[in-house]
Amino acid sequence: MIEHIFAAEFDNIQGAVVRYVHPPISYLGNEGILASYMIPDGGHKREKDITYFRLDLSVQATNEATDSLRHEFNARQTTVYFYNNEKYWAPICDKENKKIEFTMTLFKDIIHFKAEKNEKIIEIEAKNIKEYKIIFEGFISVTVDGKTYGIQFKDPKNLNLMEYFLSIVKCQHLGNKQEEKSIQRRFYFHNQINIKRDQSLQRGALIRSIAVCSSSMNIFHPLEEIISDYADAFMDLPINLDEKALDTLRVVLTNALQKLNNQVREMPLSMVYMSPDEMNYVNISSIVKDPLTKMLHFNLETSLASASLLKFVSLFQEKTMVIYNAILRGARILFVSNESSCEEICSCVVACIHLVSPLNIVSKVYPFEHLLNTSFLESEGYIAGVSNPIFRTRKNWWDVCCDVQDGTVVDQSLSAKMNKGEELGEAKLQQIDQEFIQEILKKIKDKEITESQLRKYFYEYTKNMIDYFMNSSNMIDYAREDKALMEAFDNKSNKWKKTHSFEIYQNYLLRSREVFKVVFADKFLDVNTALTNFVEKKAFNDFDLLKDYSVLVDVLADPYKMEVFLKYLLSRKTDLTVLSAGMISANEEIQNKTAQLFMLFESHHYGKNIMSFFSYYTLFIYEGLKYKFQNGENTP
């Protein structure tokens, strides 16, 4: 949901000022800072420019705020599934054991659930909810009168509105004083800047901007055309905004907010929402043609899609790996330019998200920052974009400084002395990086690589690194590699494990277990054990192997459970062949169960796509087993 829309301009006397906001919002002293972000340093150099930024603002927990949220939420006609949580999460099902769909509606402080088919009704008073917690994407638990219930949203993005509504209701009932009835929320802004040059004007130009913000959306490229149209409408208003012009501006902003939210309702989750606290996996893109790329979730359909990694690597060339490794070790990184557009600076910062995917660094990314608000400097391992050259001169503020105009990179974070063994190991690590990036640069030069393919290369490179760091990789042959290189990898691993991105990775693993608990309920332990065995074991006995295959064949007949299982498996391994151990077993019962499992994969659209990337040898064995057990013969 787009919560607010702002109009700002540069005033010759007051400087950057916000002229109007719809609906009204409490600034608590932040109005000047917000105006400076909307009319940034360097924003006057082009006729149009764009910035993305985030800012914490205080929202008054008023009745108008809850009315606005209720209206938007109910307009979406939200469908949910309702769960009881006793020993395991159990959905409310019909006689055919199918989850009942409820229409969820907000009436004042009442959360109303109605099942259309059997007219079953459940009601919860929002003020009586003692605790609520987002378990995973689209699933929230609420505790009322000592009992915990789960609500799973069919369209996960509607959960963000629900969480916002609950936070306001809670604030309204807990606070006694007016100042207590406010919520500090982080908002993400998309800002369109327009310049009208006219020598008849004082300073020779009129600078205005429109910024839209949301507490749950991040960098809203799909809405850019709408925002731009209303920014143009703002520019068409008279230079001196009298009362009549302000009335027109109010109408412009009101219409813009309504049109933007109508558009958001129709958009899939992956195009507008980013979670800042888990791995970088989102819904599968319908744009990407490569099925494996789809399955590995490279964010190509997300709001961050226009941040091109291809342009990023083309700009920084071999220095790309300097930036890559600086991110892994949690260095403070600035992207700056005196001449490039603000949008180009923002795009370089956002492209770093794709550079180290599947690690999620969203919470450490600051696409555009201003000298009036340097609080981001206190963030460990920040990645920020700035246009003011003062940042470049304050060398104590950054570890790595990247010039967006000429692609130069200054790294002042690697000053520690090394012994000869450490220097040798570090040199070999750099050689591995250089071999990787040189191959990519050659493909770019020869125009043999696309944006999606490039993201896939970096995804797999980082995934292999994570696997090694977590002691679950076959990337290194321990018998052949020398001690210096092994120690260098261990040193790199230890540095990563001290960073914020490692904490996020650990949190992702914990949350993945929560997803498994909800989806697989009483079968959770069996499925998790089977998956862990296949991923981590090098040798199997027939008893365990048969048990694990039997569990998966029994559970994964459900397409939804299959999808969750595949996503979790691919977050740990990029290859389904870890499940193929039973293909070469001498036990025919195990062979049969293996064939049954892969036939389930083949019948599922995601699984079938992944299987298309198997080696010819694996596919040949599978086809032989399938033929054997389907036809009752021993040979194909």
Side-chain angles (χ1 to χ4, degrees):
M1 174 184 178
I2 303 295
E3 273 106 332
H4 301 278
I5 183 167
F6 299 82
E9 68 177 1
F10 188 86
D11 185 278
N12 291 319
I13 298 175
Q14 303 176 67
V17 292
V18 175
R19 292 301 188 195
Y20 194 74
V21 55
H22 174 75
I25 187 172
S26 171
Y27 294 102
L28 293 186
N30 285 335
E31 182 175 2
I33 293 177
L34 175 59
S36 298
Y37 274 96
M38 292 180 65
I39 310 292
D41 299 320
H44 63 283
K45 296 178 180 179
R46 289 165 177 77
E47 291 186 1
K48 290 182 181 289
D49 210 340
I50 291 173
T51 59
Y52 319 115
F53 58 92
R54 66 194 200 193
L55 197 61
D56 293 339
L57 297 176
S58 180
V59 179
Q60 291 293 320
T62 62
N63 291 331
E64 290 78 9
T66 51
D67 288 344
S68 175
L69 282 169
R70 271 194 293 265
H71 173 77
E72 177 64 26
F73 188 90
N74 294 338
R76 299 183 179 206
Q77 299 181 338
T78 303
T79 301
V80 301
Y81 305 106
F82 203 84
Y83 288 70
N84 290 310
N85 185 20
E86 295 175 359
K87 187 176 181 181
Y88 299 102
W89 289 104
I92 296 179
C93 297
D94 58 21
K95 294 179 180 179
E96 286 75 34
N97 202 33
K98 294 181 179 179
K99 289 189 292 186
I100 297 175
E101 289 190 355
F102 289 86
T103 299
M104 183 176 174
T105 312
L106 303 178
F107 296 122
K108 293 186 177 180
D109 285 356
I110 301 295
I111 306 172
H112 182 86
F113 304 87
K114 181 180 179 182
E116 297 297 334
K117 289 186 178 180
N118 57 15
E119 297 186 351
K120 184 178 181 65
I121 292 176
I122 300 172
E123 289 188 342
I124 296 175
E125 285 196 51
K127 66 180 181 181
N128 292 337
I129 294 176
K130 300 300 180 184
E131 181 184 10
Y132 59 89
K133 179 183 177 183
I134 297 177
I135 304 298
F136 62 91
E137 181 183 279
F139 192 100
I140 187 172
S141 68
V142 295
T143 301
V144 185
D145 298 329
K147 293 184 178 180
T148 301
Y149 305 98
I151 303 168
Q152 182 182 7
F153 289 75
K154 197 170 183 179
D155 183 349
K157 67 175 178 282
N158 292 335
L159 171 58
N160 298 83
L161 286 182
M162 175 67 178
E163 187 273 332
Y164 196 1
F165 173 77
L166 291 178
S167 65
I168 289 181
V169 170
K170 184 177 180 180
C171 181
Q172 286 176 328
H173 286 90
L174 289 180
N176 296 317
K177 300 177 182 179
Q178 187 62 33
E179 59 267 24
E180 292 176 340
K181 293 187 177 183
S182 63
I183 307 168
Q184 192 79 1
R185 291 186 75 86
R186 171 160 291 172
F187 288 97
Y188 299 88
F189 291 80
H190 180 119
N191 183 47
Q192 171 82 49
I193 308 155
N194 282 4
I195 315 295
K196 181 179 181 181
R197 305 189 189 281
D198 190 331
Q199 293 304 316
S200 65
L201 299 174
Q202 191 174 358
R203 289 179 176 262
L206 175 65
I207 307 175
R208 286 176 172 171
S209 71
I210 288 282
V212 298
C213 75
S214 172
S215 60
S216 57
M217 297 170 59
N218 191 356
I219 312 176
F220 341 120
H221 289 297
L223 306 174
E224 200 165 287
E225 185 175 342
I226 299 174
I227 297 170
S228 181
D229 287 344
Y230 285 99
D232 291 342
F234 181 28
M235 288 297 291
D236 291 337
L237 294 179
I239 295 172
N240 297 315
L241 293 175
D242 56 18
E243 192 59 39
K244 183 179 178 180
L246 283 174
D247 286 340
T248 303
L249 179 58
R250 292 186 189 102
V251 173
V252 168
L253 298 188
T254 301
N255 292 339
L257 192 69
Q258 182 177 353
K259 187 171 182 179
L260 286 164
N261 276 321
N262 287 342
Q263 188 75 15
V264 170
R265 292 175 201 166
E266 304 301 321
M267 295 166 68
L269 173 74
S270 59
M271 291 187 72
V272 288
Y273 291 91
M274 289 287 294
S275 173
D277 59 355
E278 60 184 76
M279 292 277 279
N280 237 348
Y281 297 108
V282 294
N283 284 1
I284 289 140
S285 168
S286 61
I287 296 175
V288 190
K289 302 302 181 184
D290 177 355
L292 182 59
T293 304
K294 287 184 181 183
M295 200 56 225
L296 294 177
H297 317 301
F298 291 109
N299 293 336
L300 288 186
E301 195 187 3
T302 70
S303 55
L304 306 175
S306 67
S308 171
L309 187 58
L310 196 57
K311 290 181 179 179
F312 183 95
V313 176
S314 298
L315 172 63
F316 292 106
Q317 298 284 308
E318 292 88 350
K319 292 291 186 180
T320 298
M321 300 312 292
V322 174
I323 301 170
Y324 175 89
N325 286 300
I327 295 172
L328 283 186
R329 65 174 181 270
R332 299 168 300 167
I333 304 173
L334 274 184
F335 287 86
V336 62
S337 174
N338 300 341
E339 298 300 327
S340 299
S341 68
C342 297
E343 184 177 13
E344 288 173 316
I345 295 171
C346 292
S347 295
C348 280
V349 176
V350 174
C352 290
I353 294 173
H354 304 302
L355 190 67
V356 295
S357 179
L359 292 176
N360 188 338
I361 57 171
V362 172
S363 60
K364 292 298 179 183
V365 164
Y366 299 81
F368 196 84
E369 287 299 325
H370 198 279
L371 194 59
L372 290 182
N373 181 23
T374 57
S375 58
F376 75 95
L377 296 174
E378 300 172 6
S379 174
E380 177 191 347
Y382 69 77
I383 305 168
V386 295
S387 59
N388 194 314
I390 291 178
F391 282 97
R392 193 195 301 263
T393 63
R394 299 292 183 91
K395 294 187 177 182
N396 59 316
W397 285 0
W398 49 267
D399 300 314
V400 178
C401 186
C402 312
D403 193 305
V404 174
Q405 185 178 359
D406 60 19
T408 57
V409 176
V410 178
D411 185 357
Q412 57 183 20
S413 62
L414 295 176
S415 57
K417 292 184 179 180
M418 301 180 182
N419 59 42
K420 288 186 177 181
E422 290 173 333
E423 288 178 353
L424 179 61
E426 185 64 30
K428 292 189 174 184
L429 281 182
Q430 291 178 10
Q431 183 181 352
I432 294 173
D433 285 342
Q434 285 305 306
E435 288 173 356
F436 169 71
I437 195 66
Q438 288 300 332
E439 179 185 355
I440 287 175
L441 291 174
K442 184 178 184 303
K443 290 180 180 294
I444 292 175
K445 182 180 179 181
D446 296 339
K447 298 181 179 180
E448 295 178 348
I449 191 169
T450 64
E451 176 73 21
S452 62
Q453 290 170 338
L454 180 57
R455 294 187 189 186
K456 179 180 172 183
Y457 270 110
F458 273 96
Y459 177 99
E460 292 178 341
Y461 194 75
T462 306
K463 186 65 175 64
N464 286 335
M465 194 75 67
I466 295 171
D467 286 349
Y468 173 75
F469 290 167
M470 302 303 291
N471 299 317
S472 59
S473 174
N474 295 322
M475 182 177 65
I476 292 180
D477 186 338
Y478 289 86
R480 296 179 60 187
E481 296 293 349
D482 57 77
K483 183 179 178 182
L485 181 58
M486 295 293 296
E487 289 179 347
F489 267 111
D490 289 340
N491 184 44
K492 190 173 184 178
S493 172
N494 291 333
K495 287 181 180 178
W496 176 62
K497 289 178 180 178
K498 295 177 181 178
T499 65
H500 180 70
S501 67
F502 176 71
E503 292 179 21
I504 294 174
Y505 178 79
Q506 293 287 75
N507 289 337
Y508 167 76
L509 295 180
L510 292 174
R511 292 187 68 169
S512 296
R513 286 179 62 86
E514 292 296 329
V515 176
F516 254 48
K517 286 180 181 178
V518 173
V519 173
F520 294 104
D522 58 332
K523 296 288 186 180
F524 159 70
L525 289 177
D526 293 336
V527 175
N528 192 59
T529 299
L531 179 59
T532 301
N533 286 343
F534 281 117
V535 169
E536 297 182 359
K537 277 190 174 182
K538 304 299 180 185
F540 301 88
N541 62 62
D542 285 353
F543 178 81
D544 289 339
L545 202 55
L546 181 59
K547 180 182 177 182
D548 291 341
Y549 275 118
S550 298
V551 167
L552 296 183
V553 168
D554 178 51
V555 171
L556 299 185
D558 182 322
Y560 176 68
K561 292 179 180 179
M562 170 72 82
E563 180 178 339
V564 172
F565 177 84
L566 288 174
K567 286 182 178 180
Y568 186 49
L569 171 61
L570 290 176
S571 73
R572 300 179 66 177
K573 289 289 183 181
T574 58
D575 191 353
L576 255 186
T577 53
V578 294
L579 301 176
S580 64
M583 289 185 183
I584 57 175
S585 172
N587 187 310
E588 285 206 355
E589 194 173 1
I590 293 175
Q591 291 179 3
N592 192 4
K593 287 293 182 183
T594 307
Q596 290 178 38
L597 178 61
F598 278 82
M599 281 190 279
L600 288 175
F601 290 143
E602 194 174 20
S603 66
H604 192 278
H605 52 295
Y606 298 159
K608 187 175 183 179
N609 284 337
I610 300 170
M611 287 181 65
S612 67
F613 285 83
F614 281 1
S615 68
Y616 175 79
Y617 177 73
T618 302
L619 287 173
F620 178 80
I621 295 176
Y622 164 63
E623 290 297 333
L625 291 177
K626 184 170 67 169
Y627 186 93
K628 172 181 177 179
F629 292 108
Q630 282 183 333
N631 296 279
E633 300 178 15
N634 290 328
T635 56

